[in-house]
Amino acid sequence: ADDDDALLAALIAESPVPDVQGKLLAITSDPDGTPRTVTAVAVHGGDPGLPATLGLPVSIADDAISPLWLDSANAAIYLGDLRDHPHPGAREGRRRSGLVAAVLIPLRWRGRWLGLVQLGWSVPRQFTGDERRLHAELAPHLAAVLDNRLLTRRCEQALADQRDQARTLEIVLDHLPVGVQIHDPSRAERRLNRAAQELLRAHPSDDQRPLPL
């Protein structure tokens, strides 16, 4: 799968019941590993109103649905009929999504919470043994894929932040009223701001290159 949406589409293709909605949720955790927020990062099929929630973090502490999956870290949760489920989180999930049946597949990698895959239907379900085995076998592979993608996104964001900081530094340096020269010994390079270039050009030589310092 080239992206999260294609990953969900591939997973949905294995469902024996049509009209399934797939949803990928990413989890952020505190330094001690406690899950802090959950965010929908992709959705495929199902409720057309759901994409409005994409990218909006939800506090796990304030989310009635979170206890459903927090208490089942290593096994998928099968909710055949949310309408009469005794857990209040299941009823809240029904109210929010309009789903009647759902599967929550926890994605953990090396003991860390990474996210969840939610599969949902608008009709009640009886889940087969083949489905349960498929979800159990796919969960670690999905977690590995999600871990790699999250790492890639963090690296891309770090590079973007670094480029932004470099551009900001260039602007600040060029507008300082004092001359600044930065040396990179490893590459024998130097960077001069505008004031430094003017100062080092103030000599009688016709050579316009800055003087060595």
Side-chain angles (χ1 to χ4, degrees), residues 58-119:
V58 175
S59 171
I60 289 174
D62 300 330
D63 184 31
I65 303 171
S66 297
L68 275 171
W69 51 264
L70 281 174
D71 294 337
S72 183
N74 299 308
I77 302 169
Y78 294 89
L79 305 166
D81 194 335
L82 293 165
R83 295 172 298 184
D84 58 5
H85 197 281
H87 196 290
R91 295 192 294 272
E92 176 64 13
R94 159 73 177 156
R95 186 189 68 79
R96 285 189 195 176
S97 66
L99 298 174
V100 174
V103 178
L104 300 175
I105 305 172
L107 304 182
R108 289 168 58 84
W109 185 249
R110 296 177 180 174
R112 295 181 289 115
W113 274 104
L114 296 180
L116 295 159
V117 168
Q118 175 186 290
L119 304 177

Side-chain angles (χ1 to χ4, degrees), residues 181 190 192 199-203 205 208-213:
Q181 189 170 184
R190 63 176 180 166
L192 289 80
L199 285 169
L200 294 176
R201 282 183 181 137
H203 60 90
S205 170
Q208 293 299 306
R209 292 175 300 175
L211 287 169
L213 182 64

Side-chain angles (χ1 to χ4, degrees), residues 61 102 104 128 147:
L104 300 175
T128 68
D147 185 59

